[in-house]
Amino acid sequence: MGPRPFRWQPHDGKRHAIGDNAIPTKETTTLCGVELTVPAVRPTKQQWCWPTCAACDAAWRLAEGIPLILPQQRDTNRKTTQPRESRRPTRT
């Protein structure tokens, strides 16, 4: 087992969290409850870019003691930038 109890596995268009001890070609259940067979081949680069399953992410954060960040919190945490004034002199 690795340093974390879970790992990410692309499946059916999303990245799901599965137990780190899941064995290739064997059945396992994701943190959101989806049953899948762990593939024997590594996921493609494109599959790693699939969106993260929100339910798996929430369960993983709870298990790891990481606060859940809601989408509206992300927007308020971003730094707001003010438009820069043009540095070019205006022509008259």
Side-chain angles (χ1 to χ4, degrees):
M1 189 159 131
R4 301 265 192 224
F6 308 107
R7 69 177 191 254
W8 295 96
Q9 176 64 56
H11 174 73
D12 200 24
K14 292 187 180 178
R15 291 180 304 122
H16 292 271
I18 61 173
D20 188 50
N21 58 353
I23 301 168
T25 70
K26 301 292 182 186
E27 292 285 323
T28 192
T29 304
T30 66
L31 291 183
C32 70
V34 173
E35 292 186 16
L36 62 89
T37 301
V38 180
V41 295
R42 299 184 95 176
T44 65
K45 288 181 181 180
Q46 182 180 4
Q47 290 171 320
W48 283 119
C49 292
W50 289 350
T52 300
C53 169
C56 281
D57 183 60
W60 171 72
R61 288 174 180 275
L62 182 64
E64 294 279 329
I66 300 169
L68 179 64
I69 299 174
L70 301 174
Q72 63 269 23
Q73 289 174 316
R74 277 191 208 116
D75 293 340
T76 59
N77 289 339
R78 290 186 182 159
K79 292 181 180 178
T80 56
T81 57
Q82 299 297 324
R84 290 185 179 179
E85 291 182 22
S86 174
R87 294 191 178 158
R88 292 183 180 176
T90 55
R91 294 183 181 195
T92 55

mmCIF file of all heavy atoms in Angstrom, residues 28-73:
data_model
loop_
_atom_site.group_PDB
_atom_site.id
_atom_site.type_symbol
_atom_site.label_atom_id
_atom_site.label_comp_id
_atom_site.label_asym_id
_atom_site.label_seq_id
_atom_site.Cartn_x
_atom_site.Cartn_y
_atom_site.Cartn_z
ATOM 1 N N THR A 28 -13.560 -3.847 -7.873
ATOM 2 C CA THR A 28 -13.443 -2.973 -6.710
ATOM 3 C C THR A 28 -14.588 -1.978 -6.749
ATOM 4 O O THR A 28 -15.306 -1.892 -7.748
ATOM 5 C CB THR A 28 -12.079 -2.252 -6.658
ATOM 6 O OG1 THR A 28 -11.914 -1.654 -5.377
ATOM 7 C CG2 THR A 28 -11.935 -1.203 -7.742
ATOM 8 N N THR A 29 -14.767 -1.244 -5.692
ATOM 9 C CA THR A 29 -15.814 -0.229 -5.618
ATOM 10 C C THR A 29 -15.169 1.119 -5.360
ATOM 11 O O THR A 29 -14.284 1.247 -4.514
ATOM 12 C CB THR A 29 -16.810 -0.559 -4.478
ATOM 13 O OG1 THR A 29 -17.331 -1.869 -4.694
ATOM 14 C CG2 THR A 29 -17.949 0.427 -4.453
ATOM 15 N N THR A 30 -15.602 2.123 -6.105
ATOM 16 C CA THR A 30 -15.076 3.477 -5.922
ATOM 17 C C THR A 30 -15.658 4.075 -4.648
ATOM 18 O O THR A 30 -16.602 3.530 -4.070
ATOM 19 C CB THR A 30 -15.460 4.368 -7.120
ATOM 20 O OG1 THR A 30 -16.879 4.526 -7.135
ATOM 21 C CG2 THR A 30 -14.985 3.779 -8.439
ATOM 22 N N LEU A 31 -15.108 5.195 -4.221
ATOM 23 C CA LEU A 31 -15.628 5.852 -3.017
ATOM 24 C C LEU A 31 -17.065 6.334 -3.198
ATOM 25 O O LEU A 31 -17.798 6.474 -2.229
ATOM 26 C CB LEU A 31 -14.731 7.021 -2.614
ATOM 27 C CG LEU A 31 -13.354 6.655 -2.086
ATOM 28 C CD1 LEU A 31 -12.604 7.916 -1.665
ATOM 29 C CD2 LEU A 31 -13.440 5.696 -0.932
ATOM 30 N N CYS A 32 -17.482 6.547 -4.453
ATOM 31 C CA CYS A 32 -18.862 6.981 -4.699
ATOM 32 C C CYS A 32 -19.809 5.800 -4.898
ATOM 33 O O CYS A 32 -21.000 5.990 -5.101
ATOM 34 C CB CYS A 32 -18.922 7.918 -5.896
ATOM 35 S SG CYS A 32 -18.597 7.126 -7.486
ATOM 36 N N GLY A 33 -19.265 4.572 -4.826
ATOM 37 C CA GLY A 33 -20.113 3.383 -4.910
ATOM 38 C C GLY A 33 -20.199 2.711 -6.257
ATOM 39 O O GLY A 33 -20.929 1.731 -6.413
ATOM 40 N N VAL A 34 -19.476 3.174 -7.259
ATOM 41 C CA VAL A 34 -19.478 2.546 -8.578
ATOM 42 C C VAL A 34 -18.601 1.299 -8.538
ATOM 43 O O VAL A 34 -17.468 1.349 -8.048
ATOM 44 C CB VAL A 34 -18.959 3.524 -9.662
ATOM 45 C CG1 VAL A 34 -18.793 2.833 -11.002
ATOM 46 C CG2 VAL A 34 -19.872 4.722 -9.784
ATOM 47 N N GLU A 35 -19.117 0.190 -9.047
ATOM 48 C CA GLU A 35 -18.312 -1.022 -9.135
ATOM 49 C C GLU A 35 -17.611 -1.043 -10.486
ATOM 50 O O GLU A 35 -18.209 -0.735 -11.509
ATOM 51 C CB GLU A 35 -19.199 -2.254 -8.955
ATOM 52 C CG GLU A 35 -19.753 -2.362 -7.551
ATOM 53 C CD GLU A 35 -20.523 -3.651 -7.317
ATOM 54 O OE1 GLU A 35 -20.388 -4.596 -8.120
ATOM 55 O OE2 GLU A 35 -21.259 -3.689 -6.328
ATOM 56 N N LEU A 36 -16.333 -1.389 -10.468
ATOM 57 C CA LEU A 36 -15.565 -1.449 -11.704
ATOM 58 C C LEU A 36 -14.493 -2.524 -11.604
ATOM 59 O O LEU A 36 -14.137 -2.956 -10.512
ATOM 60 C CB LEU A 36 -14.933 -0.090 -12.028
ATOM 61 C CG LEU A 36 -13.915 0.504 -11.056
ATOM 62 C CD1 LEU A 36 -12.497 0.050 -11.382
ATOM 63 C CD2 LEU A 36 -13.984 2.017 -11.132
ATOM 64 N N THR A 37 -14.001 -2.939 -12.764
ATOM 65 C CA THR A 37 -12.858 -3.846 -12.823
ATOM 66 C C THR A 37 -11.629 -2.975 -13.044
ATOM 67 O O THR A 37 -11.594 -2.176 -13.990
ATOM 68 C CB THR A 37 -13.009 -4.857 -13.978
ATOM 69 O OG1 THR A 37 -14.207 -5.602 -13.763
ATOM 70 C CG2 THR A 37 -11.822 -5.792 -14.039
ATOM 71 N N VAL A 38 -10.646 -3.121 -12.197
ATOM 72 C CA VAL A 38 -9.420 -2.336 -12.323
ATOM 73 C C VAL A 38 -8.706 -2.786 -13.599
ATOM 74 O O VAL A 38 -8.423 -3.978 -13.761
ATOM 75 C CB VAL A 38 -8.499 -2.515 -11.101
ATOM 76 C CG1 VAL A 38 -7.239 -1.689 -11.253
ATOM 77 C CG2 VAL A 38 -9.237 -2.151 -9.816
ATOM 78 N N PRO A 39 -8.456 -1.876 -14.550
ATOM 79 C CA PRO A 39 -7.811 -2.277 -15.795
ATOM 80 C C PRO A 39 -6.369 -2.719 -15.579
ATOM 81 O O PRO A 39 -5.688 -2.262 -14.662
ATOM 82 C CB PRO A 39 -7.876 -1.028 -16.672
ATOM 83 C CG PRO A 39 -8.238 0.091 -15.789
ATOM 84 C CD PRO A 39 -8.787 -0.459 -14.521
ATOM 85 N N ALA A 40 -5.917 -3.607 -16.456
ATOM 86 C CA ALA A 40 -4.546 -4.098 -16.387
ATOM 87 C C ALA A 40 -3.588 -3.136 -17.081
ATOM 88 O O ALA A 40 -2.379 -3.198 -16.853
ATOM 89 C CB ALA A 40 -4.451 -5.478 -17.018
ATOM 90 N N VAL A 41 -4.107 -2.251 -17.913
ATOM 91 C CA VAL A 41 -3.263 -1.292 -18.635
ATOM 92 C C VAL A 41 -3.373 0.076 -17.976
ATOM 93 O O VAL A 41 -4.388 0.413 -17.360
ATOM 94 C CB VAL A 41 -3.657 -1.186 -20.129
ATOM 95 C CG1 VAL A 41 -3.403 -2.501 -20.836
ATOM 96 C CG2 VAL A 41 -5.096 -0.763 -20.284
ATOM 97 N N ARG A 42 -2.327 0.863 -18.131
ATOM 98 C CA ARG A 42 -2.314 2.204 -17.548
ATOM 99 C C ARG A 42 -3.277 3.101 -18.314
ATOM 100 O O ARG A 42 -3.398 3.002 -19.530
ATOM 101 C CB ARG A 42 -0.915 2.792 -17.630
ATOM 102 C CG ARG A 42 0.112 1.972 -16.868
ATOM 103 C CD ARG A 42 1.424 2.644 -16.916
ATOM 104 N NE ARG A 42 1.474 3.419 -15.680
ATOM 105 C CZ ARG A 42 2.505 4.117 -15.275
ATOM 106 N NH1 ARG A 42 3.571 4.185 -16.008
ATOM 107 N NH2 ARG A 42 2.478 4.763 -14.144
ATOM 108 N N PRO A 43 -3.935 4.023 -17.618
ATOM 109 C CA PRO A 43 -4.810 4.980 -18.306
ATOM 110 C C PRO A 43 -4.003 5.873 -19.247
ATOM 111 O O PRO A 43 -2.815 6.123 -19.042
ATOM 112 C CB PRO A 43 -5.403 5.807 -17.161
ATOM 113 C CG PRO A 43 -5.260 4.940 -15.946
ATOM 114 C CD PRO A 43 -4.009 4.151 -16.165
ATOM 115 N N THR A 44 -4.677 6.371 -20.272
ATOM 116 C CA THR A 44 -4.024 7.268 -21.227
ATOM 117 C C THR A 44 -3.898 8.668 -20.636
ATOM 118 O O THR A 44 -4.561 8.994 -19.638
ATOM 119 C CB THR A 44 -4.836 7.359 -22.531
ATOM 120 O OG1 THR A 44 -6.100 7.975 -22.239
ATOM 121 C CG2 THR A 44 -5.055 5.976 -23.147
ATOM 122 N N LYS A 45 -3.081 9.492 -21.263
ATOM 123 C CA LYS A 45 -2.955 10.885 -20.811
ATOM 124 C C LYS A 45 -4.298 11.596 -20.909
ATOM 125 O O LYS A 45 -4.638 12.408 -20.057
ATOM 126 C CB LYS A 45 -1.907 11.620 -21.641
ATOM 127 C CG LYS A 45 -0.496 11.181 -21.339
ATOM 128 C CD LYS A 45 0.510 11.945 -22.165
ATOM 129 C CE LYS A 45 1.910 11.468 -21.863
ATOM 130 N NZ LYS A 45 2.908 12.197 -22.652
ATOM 131 N N GLN A 46 -5.051 11.286 -21.939
ATOM 132 C CA GLN A 46 -6.360 11.906 -22.106
ATOM 133 C C GLN A 46 -7.292 11.505 -20.961
ATOM 134 O O GLN A 46 -8.022 12.337 -20.427
ATOM 135 C CB GLN A 46 -6.973 11.507 -23.441
ATOM 136 C CG GLN A 46 -8.319 12.150 -23.693
ATOM 137 C CD GLN A 46 -8.921 11.742 -25.021
ATOM 138 O OE1 GLN A 46 -8.377 10.923 -25.736
ATOM 139 N NE2 GLN A 46 -10.062 12.313 -25.343
ATOM 140 N N GLN A 47 -7.275 10.250 -20.553
ATOM 141 C CA GLN A 47 -8.132 9.802 -19.455
ATOM 142 C C GLN A 47 -7.772 10.491 -18.138
ATOM 143 O O GLN A 47 -8.654 10.752 -17.321
ATOM 144 C CB GLN A 47 -8.046 8.288 -19.297
ATOM 145 C CG GLN A 47 -8.701 7.537 -20.435
ATOM 146 C CD GLN A 47 -8.417 6.052 -20.387
ATOM 147 O OE1 GLN A 47 -7.300 5.622 -20.079
ATOM 148 N NE2 GLN A 47 -9.423 5.255 -20.716
ATOM 149 N N TRP A 48 -6.505 10.789 -17.914
ATOM 150 C CA TRP A 48 -6.109 11.489 -16.691
ATOM 151 C C TRP A 48 -6.642 12.913 -16.657
ATOM 152 O O TRP A 48 -6.704 13.541 -15.602
ATOM 153 C CB TRP A 48 -4.598 11.485 -16.509
ATOM 154 C CG TRP A 48 -4.098 10.180 -16.013
ATOM 155 C CD1 TRP A 48 -3.218 9.352 -16.645
ATOM 156 C CD2 TRP A 48 -4.442 9.516 -14.779
ATOM 157 N NE1 TRP A 48 -3.011 8.218 -15.880
ATOM 158 C CE2 TRP A 48 -3.752 8.292 -14.730
ATOM 159 C CE3 TRP A 48 -5.279 9.831 -13.719
ATOM 160 C CZ2 TRP A 48 -3.858 7.405 -13.668
ATOM 161 C CZ3 TRP A 48 -5.396 8.942 -12.657
ATOM 162 C CH2 TRP A 48 -4.682 7.747 -12.643
ATOM 163 N N CYS A 49 -7.050 13.430 -17.818
ATOM 164 C CA CYS A 49 -7.593 14.785 -17.883
ATOM 165 C C CYS A 49 -9.111 14.822 -17.691
ATOM 166 O O CYS A 49 -9.702 15.895 -17.685
ATOM 167 C CB CYS A 49 -7.231 15.432 -19.223
ATOM 168 S SG CYS A 49 -5.465 15.752 -19.380
ATOM 169 N N TRP A 50 -9.741 13.666 -17.549
ATOM 170 C CA TRP A 50 -11.185 13.637 -17.300
ATOM 171 C C TRP A 50 -11.478 14.354 -15.991
ATOM 172 O O TRP A 50 -10.641 14.396 -15.084
ATOM 173 C CB TRP A 50 -11.679 12.206 -17.222
ATOM 174 C CG TRP A 50 -11.704 11.464 -18.528
ATOM 175 C CD1 TRP A 50 -11.512 11.982 -19.778
ATOM 176 C CD2 TRP A 50 -11.902 10.057 -18.705
ATOM 177 N NE1 TRP A 50 -11.598 10.980 -20.714
ATOM 178 C CE2 TRP A 50 -11.837 9.787 -20.083
ATOM 179 C CE3 TRP A 50 -12.137 9.008 -17.832
ATOM 180 C CZ2 TRP A 50 -12.002 8.516 -20.603
ATOM 181 C CZ3 TRP A 50 -12.300 7.741 -18.349
ATOM 182 C CH2 TRP A 50 -12.244 7.502 -19.723
ATOM 183 N N PRO A 51 -12.684 14.894 -15.847
ATOM 184 C CA PRO A 51 -13.025 15.571 -14.588
ATOM 185 C C PRO A 51 -13.073 14.591 -13.414
ATOM 186 O O PRO A 51 -13.348 13.403 -13.596
ATOM 187 C CB PRO A 51 -14.406 16.166 -14.868
ATOM 188 C CG PRO A 51 -14.950 15.404 -16.024
ATOM 189 C CD PRO A 51 -13.775 14.916 -16.810
ATOM 190 N N THR A 52 -12.797 15.100 -12.241
ATOM 191 C CA THR A 52 -12.838 14.295 -11.021
ATOM 192 C C THR A 52 -14.290 14.103 -10.592
ATOM 193 O O THR A 52 -15.074 15.048 -10.617
ATOM 194 C CB THR A 52 -12.060 15.008 -9.902
ATOM 195 O OG1 THR A 52 -10.710 15.175 -10.335
ATOM 196 C CG2 THR A 52 -12.078 14.212 -8.613
ATOM 197 N N CYS A 53 -14.633 12.889 -10.203
ATOM 198 C CA CYS A 53 -15.961 12.595 -9.666
ATOM 199 C C CYS A 53 -16.136 13.388 -8.365
ATOM 200 O O CYS A 53 -15.330 13.257 -7.438
ATOM 201 C CB CYS A 53 -16.081 11.091 -9.404
ATOM 202 S SG CYS A 53 -17.537 10.628 -8.456
ATOM 203 N N ALA A 54 -17.165 14.229 -8.310
ATOM 204 C CA ALA A 54 -17.376 15.085 -7.143
ATOM 205 C C ALA A 54 -17.636 14.270 -5.877
ATOM 206 O O ALA A 54 -17.151 14.621 -4.796
ATOM 207 C CB ALA A 54 -18.532 16.047 -7.407
ATOM 208 N N ALA A 55 -18.379 13.169 -6.004
ATOM 209 C CA ALA A 55 -18.684 12.350 -4.821
ATOM 210 C C ALA A 55 -17.420 11.661 -4.302
ATOM 211 O O ALA A 55 -17.205 11.581 -3.093
ATOM 212 C CB ALA A 55 -19.760 11.318 -5.153
ATOM 213 N N CYS A 56 -16.577 11.157 -5.203
ATOM 214 C CA CYS A 56 -15.308 10.540 -4.781
ATOM 215 C C CYS A 56 -14.401 11.581 -4.140
ATOM 216 O O CYS A 56 -13.755 11.318 -3.125
ATOM 217 C CB CYS A 56 -14.597 9.892 -5.965
ATOM 218 S SG CYS A 56 -15.241 8.287 -6.458
ATOM 219 N N ASP A 57 -14.365 12.781 -4.732
ATOM 220 C CA ASP A 57 -13.518 13.844 -4.192
ATOM 221 C C ASP A 57 -13.959 14.210 -2.780
ATOM 222 O O ASP A 57 -13.127 14.345 -1.881
ATOM 223 C CB ASP A 57 -13.564 15.069 -5.105
ATOM 224 C CG ASP A 57 -12.648 16.174 -4.631
ATOM 225 O OD1 ASP A 57 -11.428 15.942 -4.547
ATOM 226 O OD2 ASP A 57 -13.160 17.267 -4.318
ATOM 227 N N ALA A 58 -15.264 14.344 -2.569
ATOM 228 C CA ALA A 58 -15.781 14.698 -1.241
ATOM 229 C C ALA A 58 -15.467 13.596 -0.225
ATOM 230 O O ALA A 58 -15.029 13.887 0.894
ATOM 231 C CB ALA A 58 -17.283 14.953 -1.316
ATOM 232 N N ALA A 59 -15.649 12.328 -0.613
ATOM 233 C CA ALA A 59 -15.359 11.205 0.296
ATOM 234 C C ALA A 59 -13.865 11.119 0.594
ATOM 235 O O ALA A 59 -13.459 10.858 1.726
ATOM 236 C CB ALA A 59 -15.863 9.898 -0.312
ATOM 237 N N TRP A 60 -13.033 11.350 -0.419
ATOM 238 C CA TRP A 60 -11.585 11.323 -0.238
ATOM 239 C C TRP A 60 -11.148 12.426 0.720
ATOM 240 O O TRP A 60 -10.376 12.188 1.647
ATOM 241 C CB TRP A 60 -10.900 11.488 -1.595
ATOM 242 C CG TRP A 60 -9.427 11.699 -1.523
ATOM 243 C CD1 TRP A 60 -8.471 10.791 -1.204
ATOM 244 C CD2 TRP A 60 -8.735 12.923 -1.771
ATOM 245 N NE1 TRP A 60 -7.224 11.371 -1.246
ATOM 246 C CE2 TRP A 60 -7.365 12.688 -1.599
ATOM 247 C CE3 TRP A 60 -9.143 14.203 -2.141
ATOM 248 C CZ2 TRP A 60 -6.406 13.675 -1.773
ATOM 249 C CZ3 TRP A 60 -8.186 15.179 -2.321
ATOM 250 C CH2 TRP A 60 -6.829 14.893 -2.126
ATOM 251 N N ARG A 61 -11.679 13.644 0.528
ATOM 252 C CA ARG A 61 -11.328 14.761 1.406
ATOM 253 C C ARG A 61 -11.746 14.479 2.846
ATOM 254 O O ARG A 61 -10.999 14.770 3.773
ATOM 255 C CB ARG A 61 -11.969 16.052 0.908
ATOM 256 C CG ARG A 61 -11.325 16.591 -0.347
ATOM 257 C CD ARG A 61 -12.098 17.794 -0.894
ATOM 258 N NE ARG A 61 -11.470 18.303 -2.080
ATOM 259 C CZ ARG A 61 -10.469 19.173 -2.083
ATOM 260 N NH1 ARG A 61 -9.997 19.642 -0.954
ATOM 261 N NH2 ARG A 61 -9.946 19.578 -3.213
ATOM 262 N N LEU A 62 -12.929 13.904 3.025
ATOM 263 C CA LEU A 62 -13.397 13.572 4.362
ATOM 264 C C LEU A 62 -12.465 12.551 5.016
ATOM 265 O O LEU A 62 -12.059 12.710 6.169
ATOM 266 C CB LEU A 62 -14.825 13.025 4.295
ATOM 267 C CG LEU A 62 -15.467 12.672 5.630
ATOM 268 C CD1 LEU A 62 -15.637 13.919 6.496
ATOM 269 C CD2 LEU A 62 -16.819 12.010 5.390
ATOM 270 N N ALA A 63 -12.080 11.519 4.284
ATOM 271 C CA ALA A 63 -11.197 10.477 4.813
ATOM 272 C C ALA A 63 -9.810 11.013 5.143
ATOM 273 O O ALA A 63 -9.173 10.566 6.099
ATOM 274 C CB ALA A 63 -11.082 9.325 3.806
ATOM 275 N N GLU A 64 -9.336 11.988 4.371
ATOM 276 C CA GLU A 64 -8.001 12.556 4.577
ATOM 277 C C GLU A 64 -8.008 13.754 5.532
ATOM 278 O O GLU A 64 -6.956 14.284 5.855
ATOM 279 C CB GLU A 64 -7.407 12.997 3.229
ATOM 280 C CG GLU A 64 -7.113 11.858 2.278
ATOM 281 C CD GLU A 64 -5.794 11.172 2.579
ATOM 282 O OE1 GLU A 64 -4.858 11.826 3.071
ATOM 283 O OE2 GLU A 64 -5.711 9.970 2.320
ATOM 284 N N GLY A 65 -9.191 14.208 5.923
ATOM 285 C CA GLY A 65 -9.277 15.372 6.809
ATOM 286 C C GLY A 65 -9.001 16.679 6.100
ATOM 287 O O GLY A 65 -8.562 17.653 6.706
ATOM 288 N N ILE A 66 -9.292 16.722 4.799
ATOM 289 C CA ILE A 66 -9.069 17.925 4.000
ATOM 290 C C ILE A 66 -10.410 18.650 3.850
ATOM 291 O O ILE A 66 -11.405 18.027 3.483
ATOM 292 C CB ILE A 66 -8.513 17.567 2.606
ATOM 293 C CG1 ILE A 66 -7.189 16.818 2.751
ATOM 294 C CG2 ILE A 66 -8.345 18.810 1.744
ATOM 295 C CD1 ILE A 66 -6.699 16.191 1.467
ATOM 296 N N PRO A 67 -10.463 19.943 4.120
ATOM 297 C CA PRO A 67 -11.731 20.666 4.002
ATOM 298 C C PRO A 67 -12.275 20.611 2.574
ATOM 299 O O PRO A 67 -11.525 20.662 1.605
ATOM 300 C CB PRO A 67 -11.384 22.103 4.384
ATOM 301 C CG PRO A 67 -10.056 22.046 5.034
ATOM 302 C CD PRO A 67 -9.375 20.803 4.551
ATOM 303 N N LEU A 68 -13.574 20.504 2.492
ATOM 304 C CA LEU A 68 -14.254 20.510 1.202
ATOM 305 C C LEU A 68 -14.367 21.945 0.727
ATOM 306 O O LEU A 68 -14.819 22.823 1.469
ATOM 307 C CB LEU A 68 -15.642 19.882 1.336
ATOM 308 C CG LEU A 68 -16.495 19.835 0.079
ATOM 309 C CD1 LEU A 68 -15.830 18.946 -0.980
ATOM 310 C CD2 LEU A 68 -17.871 19.294 0.398
ATOM 311 N N ILE A 69 -13.943 22.202 -0.492
ATOM 312 C CA ILE A 69 -14.033 23.541 -1.064
ATOM 313 C C ILE A 69 -15.186 23.528 -2.057
ATOM 314 O O ILE A 69 -15.148 22.814 -3.044
ATOM 315 C CB ILE A 69 -12.721 23.958 -1.756
ATOM 316 C CG1 ILE A 69 -11.585 23.978 -0.741
ATOM 317 C CG2 ILE A 69 -12.885 25.311 -2.430
ATOM 318 C CD1 ILE A 69 -10.226 24.240 -1.340
ATOM 319 N N LEU A 70 -16.202 24.292 -1.757
ATOM 320 C CA LEU A 70 -17.361 24.367 -2.629
ATOM 321 C C LEU A 70 -17.089 25.333 -3.766
ATOM 322 O O LEU A 70 -16.291 26.273 -3.616
ATOM 323 C CB LEU A 70 -18.581 24.816 -1.831
ATOM 324 C CG LEU A 70 -18.938 23.907 -0.654
ATOM 325 C CD1 LEU A 70 -20.063 24.525 0.157
ATOM 326 C CD2 LEU A 70 -19.321 22.520 -1.141
ATOM 327 N N PRO A 71 -17.749 25.140 -4.935
ATOM 328 C CA PRO A 71 -17.487 26.020 -6.081
ATOM 329 C C PRO A 71 -17.641 27.500 -5.763
ATOM 330 O O PRO A 71 -16.826 28.304 -6.185
ATOM 331 C CB PRO A 71 -18.523 25.570 -7.115
ATOM 332 C CG PRO A 71 -18.819 24.155 -6.768
ATOM 333 C CD PRO A 71 -18.689 24.085 -5.259
ATOM 334 N N GLN A 72 -18.639 27.883 -4.965
ATOM 335 C CA GLN A 72 -18.812 29.304 -4.652
ATOM 336 C C GLN A 72 -17.682 29.826 -3.774
ATOM 337 O O GLN A 72 -17.346 30.994 -3.825
ATOM 338 C CB GLN A 72 -20.181 29.596 -4.032
ATOM 339 C CG GLN A 72 -20.447 28.928 -2.709
ATOM 340 C CD GLN A 72 -21.116 27.569 -2.858
ATOM 341 O OE1 GLN A 72 -21.020 26.941 -3.893
ATOM 342 N NE2 GLN A 72 -21.796 27.127 -1.829
ATOM 343 N N GLN A 73 -17.046 28.951 -2.967
ATOM 344 C CA GLN A 73 -15.910 29.363 -2.152
ATOM 345 C C GLN A 73 -14.692 29.614 -3.032
ATOM 346 O O GLN A 73 -13.907 30.502 -2.772
ATOM 347 C CB GLN A 73 -15.576 28.310 -1.105
ATOM 348 C CG GLN A 73 -16.594 28.210 -0.002
ATOM 349 C CD GLN A 73 -16.299 27.054 0.927
ATOM 350 O OE1 GLN A 73 -15.978 25.957 0.470
ATOM 351 N NE2 GLN A 73 -16.396 27.292 2.212
#
